[in-house]
Amino acid sequence: MNGLDFDMGRITSIIGERSAKKVGLQFPAGLKRSGLKIAKETQERTGAITYISGSSCYGACDVDDVLRAYVDILFHFGHAEMEPIDKVVFIEVRSNADIIPALRQALKMLKGDSIGLVTTVQHVHKLDEAKDFLTKHGKTCIVGRGDSRIRYNGQVLGCNFSVACVNADEFVYIGSGDFHPLGIALATGKRVIVADPTLNEAREVEPKLILRQRHAIIAKALDAKSFGIIVSTKRLQMRLGMAEKLCQKAQKRDIDTHMIFMDEVKPEMLAQFKVDAFVSTACPRIAIDDVALFKKPVLTPIEFEIVLGERDWSEIKFDEILGGTR
Ligand code: SF4
């Protein structure tokens, strides 16, 4: 199906082994359109009743707990497990896309000798092939080990670039989209070349534009007298301790702060709160990806510390949710 492996054989055998009668299916936005087909095939193969989660699903941090409570098994598609959760089975949906044409383009752009290889879970099984290809062309490849939030060596999340803590001259990111490679560029200060197997092209990411945008947002928040500190209710996005500390720091400076618990952080929901600016301790992508949609500045915790005068502007990088060592 679309070059993606939904692992139907594994799904069928897990349902059989556990004699599951009620099966939940949860997909992120890009895979939801496959939901009906997967549900039908699951029913035909196993006789189980399927229930599809129609709610948003942004990552392995975001499991549909209401559906999970109701079913015998919940299959969560498109993400790698961060920590075991009762009844939840993660189906990673690996891509069959050929990575070599894009890597060939990337190779022409590489300047250094040692290359850090990073990717998302969709291509993580191709890292050995990528390593072989670049090694044959004279490069030394390093695949970093991430922290406990990361399941595979070389795997990045939008909130975790711990695998990029390696001593490489530059990085090759295998995947599409610019968020992850920009995060790596800002976290490491190194060049990052995207080898995009969907478009069969390579490009270098340029963090200057996003930095300019973030500077503008921080500058707007400097005069704010009141802040809403957003705390996510999603199980592996919640950073309550961090939110409480930020509140205390701000209150010491006579800045009015309020903690706001939310499941979905949407512009129309923030509009209900009459504060001058917000800080998101939820998914680090929200403040960056949705910047054009928010009417008021939404800062990351790092950016808020710059507003408070606790960090230098030069320390701007993407916010991360880090785990322990593994
Ligand atoms: S916190 Fe955000 S970036 Fe991290 S896994 Fe969840 S959805 Fe993805």
Side-chain angles (χ1 to χ4, degrees):
M1 194 181 289
N2 304 329
L4 297 172
D5 181 4
F6 284 83
D7 229 342
M8 284 309 300
R10 182 162 165 246
I11 291 172
T12 307
S13 40
I14 291 173
I15 292 172
E17 279 159 22
R18 300 194 191 177
S19 306
K21 302 278 179 287
K22 294 190 284 185
V23 171
L25 305 171
Q26 188 184 12
F27 304 89
L31 300 178
K32 270 202 175 62
R33 66 177 72 94
S34 304
L36 299 181
K37 194 166 177 183
I38 300 295
K40 194 158 187 276
E41 200 170 334
T42 305
Q43 288 168 16
E44 283 168 1
R45 285 184 181 218
T46 66
I49 305 171
T50 55
Y51 303 82
I52 303 171
S53 170
S55 304
S56 59
C57 171
Y58 298 104
C61 59
D62 190 7
V63 165
D64 187 332
D65 281 321
V66 176
L67 181 56
R68 181 174 71 95
Y70 185 68
V71 294
D72 301 317
I73 305 178
L74 174 63
F75 290 102
H76 178 114
F77 292 85
H79 305 120
E81 181 181 284
M82 275 182 192
E83 65 174 40
I85 301 169
D86 185 36
K87 295 202 262 185
V88 180
V89 176
F90 288 85
I91 303 290
E92 294 165 357
V93 191
R94 302 286 178 89
S95 165
N96 301 323
D98 183 2
I99 58 165
I100 298 300
L103 268 184
R104 211 180 292 285
Q105 299 301 321
L107 181 64
K108 293 180 201 158
M109 300 171 71
L110 293 174
K111 295 178 182 166
D113 295 325
S114 62
I115 310 299
L117 280 177
V118 289
T119 187
T120 60
V121 72
Q122 266 66 56
H123 306 285
V124 83
H125 58 300
K126 301 264 183 165
L127 281 182
D128 282 344
E129 189 184 340
K131 197 172 170 180
D132 286 349
F133 176 81
L134 292 176
T135 306
K136 268 186 205 136
H137 289 84
K139 303 293 181 188
T140 303
C141 294
I142 308 169
V143 178
R145 184 182 168 87
D147 65 24
S148 61
R149 215 168 151 85
I150 297 296
R151 189 166 173 84
Y152 299 103
N153 291 349
Q155 179 205 348
V156 281
L157 297 172
C159 59
N160 190 304
F161 312 113
S162 55
V163 295
C165 283
V166 294
N167 192 14
D169 295 331
E170 50 197 349
F171 287 87
V172 169
Y173 167 79
I174 301 168
S176 43
D178 281 352
F179 189 93
H180 298 78
L182 277 171
I184 294 161
L186 289 172
T188 63
K190 306 270 174 71
R191 281 179 85 223
V192 182
I193 307 294
V194 179
D196 187 334
T198 313
L199 302 174
N200 282 336
E201 66 168 35
R203 60 185 179 273
E204 180 178 347
V205 287
E206 178 44 81
K208 270 191 200 138
L209 185 67
I210 188 93
L211 278 176
R212 223 177 293 142
Q213 197 177 52
R214 298 319 299 172
H215 275 98
I217 301 286
I218 297 169
K220 253 181 150 180
L222 284 174
D223 295 331
K225 301 278 180 291
S226 58
F227 281 85
I229 313 279
I230 300 163
V231 182
S232 174
T233 56
K234 294 187 191 297
R235 63 168 55 230
L236 291 169
Q237 285 188 23
M238 184 187 272
R239 291 186 285 176
L240 181 54
M242 172 187 264
E244 286 171 341
K245 273 194 196 132
L246 291 175
C247 265
Q248 286 159 10
K249 284 179 187 179
Q251 281 163 1
K252 272 190 198 150
R253 289 167 173 78
D254 285 332
I255 297 172
D256 191 21
T257 52
H258 301 273
M259 275 181 277
I260 303 169
F261 275 55
M262 301 179 96
D263 179 41
E264 287 278 312
V265 184
K266 296 280 178 204
E268 62 276 16
M269 299 172 95
L270 295 190
Q272 310 295 321
F273 300 100
K274 302 299 170 203
V275 289
D276 299 328
F278 295 89
V279 180
S280 171
T281 66
C283 170
R285 295 196 62 152
I286 294 168
I288 313 288
D289 280 344
D290 297 342
V291 63
L293 305 175
F294 294 123
K295 297 261 183 304
K296 292 185 179 159
V298 177
L299 305 179
T300 67
I302 291 172
E303 292 164 352
F304 188 46
E305 285 174 353
I306 293 172
V307 168
L308 295 179
E310 294 201 346
R311 277 182 189 263
D312 191 76
W313 287 69
S314 63
E315 291 177 61
I316 297 184
K317 55 180 181 162
F318 282 2
D319 177 29
E320 291 184 72
I321 305 180
L322 297 172
T325 47
R326 71 172 170 98

